[in-house]
């Protein structure tokens, strides 16, 4: 019997096409004392036969992922800081121009985007359930409500602050299975001519790059222009723009508006045509992804095993959420990669989820350089390789595993 579940957007049948088995929570960096309490779930992904939305087969309770100790920081990359500064400036110039404009950000994290808005003096509110990162935003002068955004939160914000001209969410909407409550909430909160802008990993890029490590507990949905257009319609919105973004290995920034209030851009039509021509939701395409992932699962540990035999040192670079899928699915532990370095202080001194590879500071990377670095933060490759030029100059090599296993 094929494994199926019920679509979180349209209640249609979701058919599984990729199964990673039991996996830990990708951002649950553990101390040796709490190893016994590690939480595991079945990580598998499927596609809705009705609305084509790609989604996880099993939902992890949100409080297990997003809490006081949630370690991910938006400010961890210079490229992302610039990215968020650019979108903040764009909103200020084009949307937040009325007498008393108001912008709400869902998943405002450490305030990297809203900090720019706060500096300009424009009324804003971040909605962020993870207390630790919300405190960091507040310390930057950002107004934050420590809460999960949903229908009730939206009604409460509207009552206190009035309607929002812009609701923005980066790498957050795809984290939220209870989409009906979110879109009803946005409908409640958004001014009549306002826009809802969100950006998330693009499923077409995941296919093209075989970036299977984008699949983990927090990434519940994998959007396409087609599935987002249908989702928007279903909840009384219109998809008016779709912009491809180079960040995080390829994303799309979607703009939703109330029907008829904004012209629909040519980009929407073009991307729909591209998706259809590429057959990104065809069973053969999805099966192709599954077999390429299987190949990586064979080749990556084989390469690491060979290097170990030859006595070469390999260090992991970037204790990403994505790396949880790679290490646990491919069976890579401290015997193949003795430690992984990461700039996030909250991850250092802990062990990676499931695979239990110690996380150390970037200083450990240089002390002395290993012969190989396995780049888990491949989405920041340019920034990291530039920063680590001396590693190259010292003869070091990078190991990449998407779209295929290779040494550069
Ligand atoms: N926007 C930031 C952070 C993305 S990480 C960036 O792009 O870098 C996802 C964030 O969404 C986390 O900080 C998490 O706590 C938050 N989040 C999860 N569920 C949410 C919800 N229902 N409402 C608002 N934020 C939520
Ligand atoms: P990222 O790939 O942005 O996201 P995710 O955790 O969702 O997969 O995470 C990048 C990680 O890499 C983050 O923990 C910070 C770390 N990092 C470094 O250690 N050095 C760097 O130069 C950069 C850019 C990131
Ligand atoms: Zn559906």
């Amino acid at each position: 019997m094929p494994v199926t579940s019920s679509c979180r957007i349209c209640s249609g049948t979701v058919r599984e096409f990729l199964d990673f088995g039991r996996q830990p929570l990708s951002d649950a960096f553990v101390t040796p004392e709490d190893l016994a309490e590690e939480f595991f779930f079945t990580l598998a992904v499927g596609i809705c036969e009705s609305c084509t939305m790609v989604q996880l087969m099993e939902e992890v309770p949100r409080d297990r992922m997003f809490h006081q100790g949630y370690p991910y920081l938006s400010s961890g990359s210079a490229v992302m800081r610039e990215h968020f500064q650019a979108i903040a400036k764009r909103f200020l110039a084009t949307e937040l121009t009325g007498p008393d404009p108001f912008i709400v950000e869902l998943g405002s994290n450490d305030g990297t985007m809203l900090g720019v808005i706060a500096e300009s003096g424009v009324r804003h509110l971040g909605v962020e359930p993870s207390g630790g990162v919300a405190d960091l935003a507040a310390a930057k002068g950002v107004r934050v409500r420590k809460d999960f955004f949903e229908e009730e939160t939206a009604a409460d914000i509207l009552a206190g602050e009035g309607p929002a001209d812009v609701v923005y969410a980066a790498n957050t909407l795809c984290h939220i299975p209870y989409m009906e409550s979110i879109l009803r909430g946005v409908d409640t909160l958004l001014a009549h001519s306002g826009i809802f802008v969100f950006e998330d990993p693009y499923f077409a890029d995941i296919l093209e790059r075989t970036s299977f490590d984008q699949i983990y507990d927090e990434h519940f949905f994998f959007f396409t222009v087609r599935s987002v257009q249908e989702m928007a319609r279903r909840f009384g919105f219109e998809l008016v723009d779709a912009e491809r973004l180079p960040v995080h290995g390829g994303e799309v920034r979607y703009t939703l508006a109330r029907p008829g209030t904004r012209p629909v851009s040519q980009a929407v039509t073009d991307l729909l045509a591209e998706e259809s021509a590429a057959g990104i939701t065809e069973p053969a395409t999805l099966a192709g992804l599954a077999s390429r992932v299987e190949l990586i699962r064979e080749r990556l540990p084989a390469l690491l095993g060979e290097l170990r035999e030859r006595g070469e040192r390999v260090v992991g670079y970037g204790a990403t959420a994505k790396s949880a899928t790679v290490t646990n699915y491919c069976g890579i532990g401290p015997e193949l990669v003795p430690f992984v370095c990461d700039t996030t202080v909250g991850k250092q001194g802990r062990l990676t989820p499931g695979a239990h590879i110690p996380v150390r500071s970037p200083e450990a990377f240089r002390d002395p350089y290993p012969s190989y670095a396995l780049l888990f933060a491949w989405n920041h490759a340019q920034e990291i390789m530039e920063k680590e030029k001396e590693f190259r100059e010292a003869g070091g090599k990078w190991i990449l595993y998407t779209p295929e296993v290779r040494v550069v």
Side-chain angles (χ1 to χ4, degrees), residues 174-354:
C174 76
H175 289 57
I176 307 181
Y178 42 101
M179 191 62 83
E180 179 168 355
S181 175
I182 296 296
L183 291 179
R184 282 182 197 277
V186 173
D187 192 24
T188 301
L189 182 57
L190 201 62
H192 176 72
S193 57
I195 49 170
F196 177 34
V197 180
F198 57 95
E199 53 194 67
D200 290 285
Y202 185 33
F203 186 60
D205 284 316
I206 293 175
L207 282 172
E208 196 181 310
R209 298 170 192 231
T210 313
S211 40
F212 68 102
D213 53 349
Q214 290 285 13
I215 302 166
Y216 54 87
D217 56 341
E218 294 171 26
H219 286 175
F220 188 85
F221 289 115
F222 301 89
F223 298 137
T224 64
V225 178
R226 176 168 168 202
S227 63
V228 167
Q229 187 181 50
E230 283 218 30
M231 175 176 93
R233 268 199 209 119
R234 182 169 289 273
F235 295 103
F237 291 101
E238 186 172 31
L239 174 65
V240 297
D241 195 25
E243 178 189 357
R244 288 188 83 161
L245 304 172
V247 297
H248 288 312
E251 301 205 322
V252 169
R253 176 180 287 152
Y254 303 93
T255 303
L256 270 48
R258 299 193 196 282
T261 59
R262 307 251 175 163
V264 178
S265 76
Q266 185 61 36
V268 172
T269 317
D270 292 349
L271 284 169
L272 283 171
E274 257 181 51
E275 287 181 356
S276 160
I280 60 169
T281 55
E282 298 295 325
T285 308
L286 304 174
L289 174 69
S291 53
R292 293 196 304 279
V293 170
E294 196 51 51
L295 210 58
I296 294 172
R297 184 197 209 177
E298 285 167 25
R299 291 194 175 158
L300 184 57
L303 170 66
L304 296 172
E306 271 169 41
L307 294 175
R308 185 181 53 181
E309 299 279 289
R310 292 192 346 228
E312 305 280 14
R313 263 181 82 228
V314 182
V315 167
Y317 204 108
T320 57
K322 292 182 288 291
S323 71
T325 300
V326 180
T327 53
N328 289 286
Y329 183 62
C330 301
I332 297 168
E335 66 294 342
L336 291 176
V337 178
F339 71 89
V340 45
C341 67
D342 195 287
T343 50
T344 314
V345 174
K347 296 180 183 178
Q348 293 165 7
R350 294 184 173 239
L351 306 171
T352 64

Side-chain angles (χ1 to χ4, degrees), residues 38-51:
E38 251 188 320
F39 178 88
F40 286 82
F41 73 109
T42 299
L43 180 66
V45 60
I47 185 163
C48 174
E49 288 178 341
S50 308
C51 75

Side-chain angles (χ1 to χ4, degrees), residues 66 70 72 74 84 105-107 109 127-130 133 147-149 170-172 175-176 178 182:
F66 310 117
Y70 181 70
Y72 183 76
S74 307
F84 288 124
E105 184 181 13
L106 319 183
N109 199 267
V127 185
E128 175 52 69
S130 298
V133 296
D147 226 338
F148 286 97
F149 183 84
N171 307 297
T172 296
H175 289 57
I176 307 181
Y178 42 101
I182 296 296

Side-chain angles (χ1 to χ4, degrees), residues 6-14 47-53 55 230 234:
S6 176
C7 176
R8 293 302 303 254
I9 304 297
C10 79
S11 305
T13 302
V14 177
I47 185 163
C48 174
E49 288 178 341
S50 308
C51 75
T52 74
M53 183 64 82
Q55 56 201 281
E230 283 218 30
R234 182 169 289 273

